[in-house]
Amino acid sequence: MALIPARKIKMPLQAAIIDIGAHSARMDIIQIEKNKSYEILESLVQPVNLGRDVFTKGMISPESTSLLCRIMKDFAAKTAEYGVGYIRAFATSAVREAFNREIFINNIKIASGIDLEVLEGSKEAALITMAVKKALGGKTALSKADLLLLGVGSGSVEVSLVRNGELKFAETFALGTIRIFEEYGSRAAEPERLTDIIDSYMELIADRISRISDIPKTIQFVAVGESVRVIMDINGKAAKNQPVRTITLEKFEKLFRKINLLSQAEMAEKYQISDVAAKGIIPCAWIVKRFFDMTGAGSLIVPAVTTRNAVLEDIIRQLFNEKDPFIPDMLSVVKSMAKKYCYDPNHIESIKEIAVKIFDKMHAIHSLGDRERLYLEIAAILHDVGRFVDSRKHHKHSCYLISNTQIPGLTEEERLVVAAVARYHRKGKPQASHPEYMVLPPQMRVLVCKLASILRVSDAIANSQERKTRNCSVAVKDRVLAIKISGSVDMGLEKILLTKKSDLFEDVYGMKIVLE
Amino acid sequence: MSDFLNKKYYVSRELSWLEFNARVLDEAGDIGNPLLERLKFIAIFSNNLDEFFMIRVAGLRQLSGSKTLQTDCSGLDPAAQIKAVKKRLKSLIERKYRYLLQEILPELEEKGIQIVSAEQLSSEQRVFLKEYFLNQVFPVLTPFAVDPSHPFPILNSGAIEIAVSLSRDDSGKVMHAFVEVPTLLARFIRINSSSKNKQQYVLLEDLIMEHIQFLFSNCTIHEIIPFRITRDMDFSIEEEGVADLMQYMKKELRHRKSREPIRLELPKGSRGKLAEWLMEQFQLDDDLKYNVPMPLNPAAFFEFIGKVNRPDLMNQSWPPLPVPEFSNGGGSMFDVIDREECVMDAVPFQSFDPVVKLLNEAADDPDVLAIKQTLYRVSGDSPVIKMLQRAAENGKQVTVILELKARFDEDNNINWAIKLEESGAHVIYGIAGFKIHCKALLIVKRTKDMRIKRYVHLATGNYNDKTAKLYTDMGMFMCDPEICLEVSSLFNVMTGYSSPLNTWNRIAVAPFSLRERFIELIDREARVSTRNNPGRIIAKMNSLVDPEIIAHLYRAATAGVKIDLIIRGICCLKPGIGTANINVISIVDRYLEHSRVFYFRNCGEEEYYLSSADWMPRNLDHRIEIMFPVEKESVRKVIRQMLEIQLKDKRKSRHMLPTGAYTRTFNKGKDNSASQFRTYQLFQEIYDKSRQRREETKKLKVFSRPQEI
């Protein structure tokens, strides 16, 4: 994700956030104040049909592309009316699944001058989780809460599980309120077929969650998404502008029975909503109903959170150079994942500790930042997950597993970097014949080398540390990395291991390692 | 509720419109009005009637032709409506010519202003006129012959045509020809008269008929008849198939010439072969032929009134007063709006200048980023257009939403559109399916501390400096962030940048939420009304037609709500059926009553609204309209006073009777309660008070100076 040169931007700032979803393109023009508060100056929405294109044909049609180009051009013109100094445009489910997405993004750029980024499911889930936590803030004691978060979109649903305030699970599933009709045709509207489709996804979701954690008996059920909001609006217009709304299971079921009797057109007419919104209501209500069943919750909490304002909060954090508050959640999820693959917690802890120590001491040499440090930490936690498959070639298995697992908060590219760092924690160095290495852009390959070399060194030392002592210090002096392990008796084995594993480090940094 | 949809509660829309025009005619007959004002009302009446034929009668004809038996809310089918219209028109047209020929023109003659016929001319005058004809008129005349080699020509709607029967001297065969009286030339030609204090005029068609021989040399002229046809102009645009609305409108305007004739006006007493031939050619039903006294097309008296220039025979002028808030020397327009939050301008009592001044400041202010405005009917050399052009040239984002479908003004609008586009403004020609009728101006400005601040002006009347001198309208300058935000989203819908988000709370927008909002407000009044604390609604508008609203009004009145309706034009609600709680008045005076004001008592938590919409289906369902609240107490107070003045008007207001007819007013002599006069006085007082206060503060400053030191 592009970092914003924060020092150059003055507050108050007029910014635009554009969100291209499966069925609508939206833009908010906002004014961000010095105290980080913001005000929406304009909201725009245009219906689009990317969902139908992508979920049935796998690609965005030329008609949709030209419509989106026109809309984005209008949006760009609109930003000029406010002298907008910062534009962030992102696309969610439909575009991210389209195989011609790069061409689409390029067309948008040419037509409107706007760079469109694809917001990946894992990133979207992370942002929404944070926004929900913030929105619920005072309402529930979140630090210790157990919470199931459901994000219902027209093209996908996101499911997150928080236990004791720590995120344990977050995944995106290809079950969307409108997508159902697009993938399964109009027959999906038949009640039985609709519940069959939803139930098959529910089994999948339950199975995925159960591999990470059981669902506690008392859990808060939170849902966000446009269709959920529409249902809440129908429940009571008066509370429309409240930051958090709730509905009891009983009330929800009553409401569901009521709307289930209406046709789509009747709903649109009666509740003054668009046809697309009306279409999504019944599938959404079913999904919510199934989650009520799954969680056994007595009520549903709906905070006023949208992907757009979740991204907005992310932008504000970046503008103000704030630390990513999602890092603890991300590390928590990564640990759950490692646990799933039967990791060795002691080894992980010590290798992570040493790796981070080396990373921090070498800052002047590698000049990498917090984000890169996070990649190293995650790679350290996950580097051995491949052992679950087989000890032989386990670094390759780790690479495969990591690159194919959704990690909330990491983009696909970031995940591939982490996978490659884990891949090179042992055995051969990166080579032009390694596809997992070559798939990365050149600057990312450099990053992989820098991080993997540290991880390799740490792995060599961690082995001994676990057995002998926990005290290790690191110093950098005159192009020598000096690692001192105090209280140890015999360092013979470590020295042998280190000579085997310091090769990449010496290649990358041109430094020697001395073990004392 | 369905009970109140019964036809007994409703008046036919067309007949109600005729009653409105009858009230206009009353003004022509009102001896309390100065002579030229009376003549002006004759012109207005005639012009109104022309439009009525072109649109409404034409529409009825199309309906009756299609054989579908559609009845209106009063239960009349199209044929019955045409019949009733014709019947009512007979007496109106008689009255019109009686006022004109027996009262106004003779009295004008006494005041030294005379329209003379050819026979009355002196020989000197004849010489002058012959010169004038040959130099000025003859070159632009184009006679059309009608014979087997020349098909029947396409005659312009509304123009005066001269039919000629003649025979060539060599063959002797009788032929026919037409000469159109050019609308580009003056209809009233002033001639030198014997006395200095006397003005004499000759009508252009008389001059042409007098010299008709010049057009047909070597021919013998048998008969000459002037006449006028009116054509069906009720075309609706099938927009879905129209990619370029602008091109379509241009084409449609050209086609107007050839549309179906809907009325033929012939001089009274036209008989003989030529008249018979004419009737034959047009093949019109009897009820579409009108034999009228001369002169044809009295709408042209507008030109005459301007020419004679006799202020003594006109209303004493009421110069528009400055809006006090803006004339206190308190900085820029933006500063004043910042300070006051809400400022009203009520044209034509107050000046239209603040709008122009705001645009003028915005065009040059480097902090202004964008200007958006709806333009519906724009005057010829509009200052509004000039400011917008300049703003666009200065690099501001200028968006103009121009309604090309404003009836009869299309030609005018297209020209301005091209001009604006050339200067870099973004011009949008309405949205398919909806006429844009709301009047809104939005300015986006950056403040000194780099924030965005928006300003709006919302009004009941168009951004037209000419009509702002003739139509009573109210506009509101505001900077309330919520209202500005909601107006912004309305512009996004109008420009096609966004679908409606339905997030309008402070304002209501047709066709999305305005009808529902009106009904909610009426129903709420009915709900909270009790015997001791009756509800009250005052609604002022141009026309009340919508059956659903009428039914809700009836229900509210039956529940005890006292309802006063101030409706200048059509009112399909029949007051006094089953309840005495509904009172309908109509004010027709020197200015055209045009504002839409709505008051709801709401148990003492009073609400005031202004709107661009009438209570008509076309406004509520097929147009983009806006209603906005008036929340500032000082402004509400002025509006309340205006409404009270109108309800107390005994001079120029008429009461609607349960039959759908109205009381007449013009015999009331020198009553002083005319609401437009009293409203002007009200604004005079407001202005005087503010000036006094200003002067007092100035004086205070002088005294306070020594203490400062």
Side-chain angles (χ1 to χ4, degrees):
Chain A
M1 195 166 301
L3 278 167
I4 305 159
R7 260 160 263 112
K8 284 183 195 159
I9 291 177
K10 273 189 193 161
M11 302 293 159
L13 170 75
Q14 286 77 39
I17 303 176
I18 299 167
D19 162 11
I20 297 184
H23 300 94
S24 64
R26 292 169 178 271
M27 175 167 81
D28 281 347
I29 293 178
I30 50 165
Q31 178 164 280
I32 305 171
E33 299 286 346
K34 279 197 186 87
N35 64 4
K36 300 179 194 169
S37 67
Y38 64 87
E39 175 195 351
I40 294 181
L41 299 174
E42 294 247 11
S43 284
L44 296 93
V45 61
Q46 291 284 31
V48 296
N49 237 330
L50 300 177
R52 196 170 59 202
D53 290 357
V54 176
F55 305 146
T56 57
K57 298 198 185 74
M59 64 180 288
I60 299 164
S61 67
E63 295 76 33
S64 290
T65 303
S66 67
L67 173 67
L68 258 300
C69 284
R70 188 186 67 75
I71 292 173
M72 291 296 276
K73 216 171 138 185
D74 283 352
F75 282 1
K78 192 82 211 170
T79 60
E81 288 173 12
Y82 287 88
V84 161
Y86 174 72
I87 302 175
R88 174 92 168 264
F90 61 90
T92 51
S93 63
V95 177
R96 79 177 155 235
E97 289 176 39
F99 73 73
N100 59 344
R101 70 188 210 184
E102 279 74 23
I103 293 169
F104 173 75
I105 288 169
N106 184 251
N107 277 319
I108 296 284
K109 170 80 179 173
I110 290 166
S112 66
I114 294 175
D115 286 305
L116 180 66
E117 84 187 67
V118 174
L119 186 67
E120 288 173 39
S122 54
K123 178 78 187 172
E124 188 177 1
L127 293 177
I128 287 182
T129 307
M130 277 186 289
V132 166
K133 278 185 166 185
K134 194 177 164 197
L136 295 182
K139 184 128 183 163
T140 46
L142 259 174
S143 54
K144 287 187 184 128
D146 293 326
L147 186 134
L148 187 123
L149 170 61
L150 170 68
V152 187
S154 62
S156 62
V157 302
E158 272 103 40
V159 182
S160 312
L161 180 71
V162 176
R163 296 212 53 185
N164 294 321
E166 275 186 12
L167 185 68
K168 292 288 173 193
F169 173 88
E171 271 186 39
T172 302
F173 299 89
L175 169 66
T177 52
I178 309 292
R179 183 180 195 148
I180 287 186
F181 302 108
E182 282 157 354
E183 275 195 5
Y184 297 90
S186 56
R187 289 192 64 199
E190 294 164 18
E192 272 179 30
R193 184 166 290 254
L194 181 65
T195 49
D196 276 354
I197 297 168
I198 291 172
D199 286 348
S200 68
Y201 275 100
M202 289 306 296
E203 275 168 34
L204 175 69
I205 293 167
D207 178 63
R208 298 288 302 156
I209 296 175
S210 71
R211 281 164 200 269
I212 301 287
S213 163
D214 55 337
I215 295 174
K217 284 216 169 58
T218 50
I219 187 164
Q220 312 237 33
F221 174 28
V222 181
V224 295
E226 194 183 347
S227 301
V228 180
R229 277 197 303 283
V230 171
I231 290 177
M232 293 306 282
D233 289 350
I234 295 172
N235 183 46
K237 263 228 145 102
K240 201 172 174 179
N241 294 323
Q242 285 190 9
V244 179
R245 292 182 279 181
T246 54
I247 182 170
T248 60
L249 173 61
E250 203 187 350
K251 259 200 159 168
F252 172 79
E253 285 186 329
K254 209 173 136 192
L255 182 74
F256 191 10
R257 278 195 296 275
K258 195 171 88 186
I259 52 179
N260 218 355
L261 296 173
L262 301 175
S263 73
Q264 225 181 77
E266 286 168 335
M267 270 190 266
E269 165 82 29
K270 186 166 178 193
Y271 303 121
Q272 298 256 314
I273 50 178
S274 71
D275 290 344
V276 177
K279 201 173 184 179
I281 287 184
I282 295 293
C284 173
W286 273 114
I287 295 169
V288 170
K289 169 92 177 66
R290 287 298 189 250
F291 273 87
F292 261 119
D293 299 343
M294 183 200 254
T295 57
S299 62
L300 166 69
I301 303 167
V302 181
V305 167
T306 63
T307 303
R308 218 161 42 264
N309 60 34
V311 170
L312 170 58
E313 281 169 12
D314 189 50
I315 291 174
I316 292 175
R317 281 191 292 271
Q318 288 186 38
L319 286 173
F320 288 92
N321 265 337
E322 280 178 28
K323 230 183 162 145
D324 185 353
F326 192 66
I327 290 174
D329 280 325
M330 216 186 300
L331 292 173
S332 164
V333 175
V334 169
K335 275 184 198 154
S336 315
M337 182 180 154
K339 196 175 155 196
K340 184 167 76 177
Y341 294 114
C342 310
Y343 75 143
D344 171 0
N346 290 335
H347 175 62
I348 296 296
E349 269 315 306
S350 52
I351 188 172
K352 198 180 84 177
E353 192 190 318
I354 298 167
V356 167
K357 262 183 196 166
I358 298 174
F359 182 92
D360 291 347
K361 285 285 174 197
M362 298 208 14
H363 189 265
I365 295 156
H366 58 57
S367 70
L368 297 172
D370 285 351
R371 194 78 188 163
E372 289 78 9
R373 188 177 188 267
L374 178 70
Y375 303 155
L376 181 62
E377 268 186 280
I378 296 173
I381 298 169
L382 297 177
H383 77 284
D384 266 354
V385 290
R387 283 183 191 278
F388 185 78
V389 180
D390 198 331
S391 276
R392 281 173 302 160
K393 294 187 184 171
H394 74 260
H395 55 289
K396 289 189 180 171
H397 304 318
S398 294
C399 179
Y400 173 79
L401 288 173
I402 297 167
S403 53
N404 287 287
T405 307
Q406 296 182 40
I407 301 173
L410 284 194
T411 66
E412 191 187 345
E413 190 179 73
E414 290 178 314
R415 205 165 68 221
L416 294 179
V417 167
V418 171
V421 173
R423 156 77 176 79
Y424 294 111
H425 85 272
R426 66 192 281 260
K427 299 274 177 168
K429 292 189 279 188
Q431 281 175 24
S433 60
H434 295 168
E436 62 273 35
Y437 181 67
M438 295 310 288
V439 75
L440 297 167
Q443 71 273 27
M444 290 294 145
R445 286 182 227 159
V446 175
L447 176 62
V448 167
C449 291
K450 284 180 172 177
L451 298 178
S453 65
I454 296 176
L455 190 64
R456 280 163 93 97
V457 172
S458 314
D459 192 39
I461 298 160
N463 273 327
S464 71
Q465 197 190 4
E466 286 148 39
R467 277 180 283 119
K468 291 161 185 161
T469 176
R470 301 203 65 81
N471 268 333
C472 151
S473 65
V474 175
V476 174
K477 203 182 170 190
D478 301 333
R479 309 214 64 78
V480 171
L481 176 73
I483 301 168
K484 196 173 175 184
I485 298 177
S486 58
S488 56
V489 194
D490 177 19
M491 299 298 290
L493 177 63
E494 285 72 22
K495 281 183 179 155
I496 296 166
L497 274 175
L498 194 62
T499 44
K500 279 174 81 177
K501 297 193 104 177
S502 61
D503 50 352
L504 185 60
F505 188 89
E506 287 168 10
D507 288 353
V508 173
Y509 297 108
M511 288 170 69
K512 289 277 171 212
I513 303 177
V514 181
L515 183 65
E516 291 166 6
Chain B
M1 180 52 70
S2 59
D3 288 353
F4 294 116
L5 290 170
N6 189 303
K7 64 183 183 188
K8 71 176 177 185
Y9 295 106
Y10 297 85
V11 180
S12 161
R13 177 199 160 126
E14 315 307 342
L15 295 179
S16 183
W17 184 88
L18 279 182
E19 288 313 313
F20 159 64
N21 216 22
R23 297 194 287 281
V24 173
L25 190 57
D26 288 350
E27 289 300 305
D30 188 333
I31 50 167
N33 289 339
L35 258 187
L36 286 176
E37 300 290 342
R38 292 177 63 189
L39 185 59
K40 194 169 80 191
F41 281 109
I42 294 283
I44 296 171
F45 174 87
S46 307
N47 193 46
N48 285 350
L49 202 56
D50 286 351
E51 288 192 12
F52 181 72
F53 267 93
M54 285 189 272
I55 305 298
R56 304 303 307 183
V57 176
L60 285 176
R61 289 257 305 160
Q62 284 173 15
L63 279 179
S64 68
S66 72
K67 301 282 176 218
T68 49
L69 226 102
Q70 249 180 319
T71 58
D72 68 359
C73 56
S74 72
L76 296 178
D77 67 27
Q81 290 174 57
I82 294 181
K83 213 172 147 195
V85 163
K86 175 97 183 174
K87 190 177 158 209
R88 182 72 181 103
L89 269 180
K90 193 169 182 289
S91 69
L92 291 180
I93 292 172
E94 270 173 27
R95 260 173 69 198
K96 168 170 104 169
Y97 281 102
R98 192 174 76 230
Y99 293 148
L100 181 64
L101 301 176
Q102 294 174 23
E103 297 180 13
I104 300 169
L105 291 181
E107 281 178 44
L108 277 174
E109 210 169 322
E110 281 170 29
K111 304 281 181 194
I113 301 159
Q114 191 188 12
I115 296 171
V116 292
S117 61
E119 303 92 68
Q120 295 167 289
L121 295 168
S122 69
S123 53
E124 276 166 42
Q125 287 170 329
R126 280 170 198 277
V127 172
F128 163 78
L129 280 172
K130 188 176 172 188
E131 284 276 295
Y132 181 86
F133 175 79
L134 290 174
N135 292 330
Q136 309 278 329
V137 184
F138 183 73
V140 294
L141 294 179
T142 317
F144 298 99
V146 184
D147 61 35
S149 61
H150 295 91
F152 197 80
I154 295 165
L155 302 176
N156 271 324
S157 177
I160 294 171
E161 309 283 346
I162 298 167
V164 186
S165 68
L166 66 163
S167 52
R168 285 163 83 112
D169 291 346
D170 47 1
S171 73
K173 197 180 156 203
V174 177
M175 289 164 50
H176 297 97
F178 292 109
V179 181
E180 183 169 304
V181 178
T183 43
L184 283 171
L185 297 180
R187 174 95 186 273
F188 298 90
I189 304 154
R190 180 152 184 194
I191 43 178
N192 283 330
S193 64
S194 46
S195 139
K196 237 185 179 178
N197 300 327
K198 210 164 161 189
Q199 296 188 26
Q200 286 186 312
Y201 294 86
V202 168
L203 288 169
L204 180 59
E205 64 266 32
D206 287 346
L207 178 67
I208 295 171
M209 287 194 285
E210 186 68 15
H211 298 91
I212 197 89
Q213 191 68 59
F214 284 97
L215 293 164
F216 304 99
S217 48
N218 303 327
C219 292
T220 306
I221 309 282
H222 302 300
E223 282 181 276
I224 313 173
I225 300 180
F227 69 98
R228 184 167 177 257
I229 60 161
T230 312
R231 292 181 189 275
D232 172 357
M233 294 293 178
D234 186 33
F235 61 89
S236 52
I237 298 170
E238 309 286 341
E239 268 162 300
E240 286 183 23
V242 183
D244 189 336
L245 195 55
M246 179 112 150
Q247 286 303 324
Y248 180 85
M249 294 297 302
K250 281 183 172 169
K251 219 166 104 192
E252 191 58 54
L253 288 174
R254 281 199 299 272
H255 279 177
R256 278 191 167 183
K257 273 184 153 184
S258 59
R259 299 184 67 94
E260 181 106 351
I262 197 76
R263 180 177 62 175
L264 172 65
E265 289 172 292
L266 286 171
K268 216 171 190 164
S270 306
R271 276 182 208 92
K273 282 188 180 158
L274 182 56
E276 277 166 30
W277 178 81
L278 262 180
M279 303 277 204
E280 224 170 82
Q281 295 302 316
F282 285 105
Q283 296 191 333
L284 277 173
D285 302 347
D286 269 349
D287 55 352
L288 297 175
K289 285 174 208 149
Y290 288 83
N291 288 311
V292 293
M294 290 289 96
L296 286 165
N297 192 20
F301 276 111
F302 284 123
E303 176 200 321
F304 181 71
I305 295 162
K307 262 192 182 151
V308 298
N309 188 26
R310 284 280 298 269
D312 59 315
L313 300 179
M314 303 281 288
N315 280 326
Q316 188 193 347
S317 83
W318 299 339
L321 297 158
V323 175
E325 289 88 338
F326 292 127
S327 54
N328 275 352
S332 75
M333 294 291 292
F334 293 109
D335 292 341
V336 175
I337 302 168
D338 280 340
R339 192 171 61 232
E340 300 283 336
E341 288 176 348
C342 172
V343 183
M344 180 174 77
D345 65 339
V347 294
F349 308 106
Q350 290 179 312
S351 158
F352 180 67
D353 289 352
V355 170
V356 179
K357 213 172 136 195
L358 181 67
L359 280 169
N360 190 21
E361 279 181 23
D364 295 326
D365 188 331
D367 290 326
V368 167
L369 298 168
I371 304 173
K372 292 179 217 198
Q373 193 169 18
T374 60
L375 293 179
Y376 187 68
R377 294 188 167 176
V378 194
S379 74
D381 46 351
S382 167
V384 171
I385 300 269
K386 280 190 203 109
M387 303 298 166
L388 290 172
Q389 260 177 298
R390 203 172 73 235
E393 282 155 11
N394 285 345
K396 321 246 171 260
Q397 303 288 318
V398 175
T399 307
V400 176
I401 298 162
L402 189 67
E403 183 52 66
L404 284 185
K405 284 165 281 172
R407 237 168 215 158
F408 306 113
D409 281 1
E410 287 92 343
D411 234 344
N412 213 353
N413 277 343
I414 289 170
N415 295 336
W416 301 124
I418 293 166
K419 259 195 188 176
L420 268 172
E421 271 184 340
E422 281 168 358
S423 66
H426 184 193
V427 182
I428 288 161
Y429 304 102
I431 16 177
F434 298 111
K435 197 180 240 189
I436 291 175
H437 193 247
C438 69
K439 298 95 180 49
L441 163 65
L442 173 78
I443 296 174
V444 182
K445 190 170 178 276
R446 186 170 260 150
T447 59
K448 289 279 165 277
D449 59 357
M450 299 302 281
R451 283 193 175 74
I452 292 291
K453 179 146 193 183
R454 285 174 289 201
Y455 298 82
V456 292
H457 178 263
L458 302 175
T460 66
N462 298 311
Y463 291 108
N464 182 324
D465 55 304
K466 299 283 189 306
T467 57
K469 287 176 187 141
L470 304 168
Y471 293 11
T472 72
D473 273 305
M474 285 148 139
M476 211 70 82
F477 296 88
M478 286 178 282
C479 58
D480 180 302
E482 266 178 50
I483 288 184
C484 291
L485 172 65
E486 293 186 11
V487 173
S488 292
S489 12
L490 173 59
F491 269 104
N492 288 336
V493 173
M494 292 193 287
T495 52
Y497 280 166
S498 177
S499 308
L501 283 155
N502 241 344
T503 47
W504 294 297
N505 292 316
R506 300 280 294 283
I507 65 172
V509 175
F512 309 106
S513 60
L514 186 55
R515 172 185 288 279
E516 289 74 22
R517 181 72 74 84
F518 274 131
I519 289 173
E520 260 169 46
L521 290 167
I522 296 168
D523 287 356
R524 183 187 64 192
E525 211 55 30
R527 207 167 52 240
V528 301
S529 182
T530 60
R531 184 180 290 268
N532 295 328
N533 200 4
R536 180 150 161 78
I537 296 172
I538 305 172
K540 176 175 195 244
M541 69 201 83
N542 296 340
S543 298
L544 168 54
V545 174
D546 192 80
E548 193 185 2
I549 300 251
I550 292 176
H552 282 265
L553 286 172
Y554 251 104
R555 192 171 70 163
T558 317
V561 180
K562 176 121 182 35
I563 300 172
D564 282 303
L565 302 172
I566 308 171
I567 295 163
R568 189 247 305 157
I570 305 167
C571 177
C572 291
L573 177 146
K574 228 184 242 183
I577 308 290
T579 169
N581 279 337
I582 303 178
N583 168 42
V584 183
I585 64 164
S586 168
I587 296 167
V588 178
D589 199 349
R590 67 155 78 177
Y591 297 138
L592 185 81
E593 291 289 332
H594 193 254
S595 57
R596 286 93 169 179
V597 186
F598 301 92
Y599 164 86
F600 299 90
R601 182 164 179 275
N602 188 27
C603 265
E605 298 284 311
E606 298 170 308
E607 287 178 8
Y608 289 79
Y609 297 94
L610 299 181
S611 178
S612 58
D614 288 323
W615 281 345
M616 291 173 98
R618 70 164 192 220
N619 297 82
L620 301 174
D621 303 330
H622 304 292
R623 285 180 173 184
I624 303 279
E625 303 269 9
I626 184 173
M627 175 171 82
F628 52 98
V630 182
E631 284 159 0
K632 190 177 177 179
E633 188 42 43
S634 58
V635 177
R636 288 154 67 110
K637 191 181 155 198
V638 176
I639 296 178
R640 189 158 50 231
Q641 285 172 307
M642 288 171 81
L643 290 174
E644 277 165 13
I645 287 173
Q646 284 161 10
L647 288 171
K648 282 183 191 153
D649 186 343
K650 291 198 169 57
R651 176 73 182 89
K652 289 293 184 185
S653 95
R654 289 83 162 161
H655 277 271
M656 189 179 180
L657 305 170
T659 56
Y662 286 77
T663 56
R664 303 275 284 272
T665 56
F666 55 90
N667 287 328
K668 287 192 174 148
K670 293 214 158 121
D671 186 296
N672 221 355
S673 68
S675 56
Q676 291 186 351
F677 170 67
R678 304 269 296 140
T679 307
Y680 186 71
Q681 279 187 324
L682 171 71
F683 283 103
Q684 182 82 58
E685 278 163 28
I686 292 172
Y687 179 64
D688 288 347
K689 261 185 204 159
S690 93
R691 214 173 43 184
Q692 251 170 24
R693 263 202 308 276
R694 204 165 65 228
E695 269 157 25
E696 275 162 22
T697 35
K698 264 189 204 158
K699 277 179 206 158
L700 280 175
K701 266 184 195 158
V702 175
F703 285 118
S704 65
R705 198 166 284 160
Q707 289 171 359
E708 279 169 11
I709 302 164

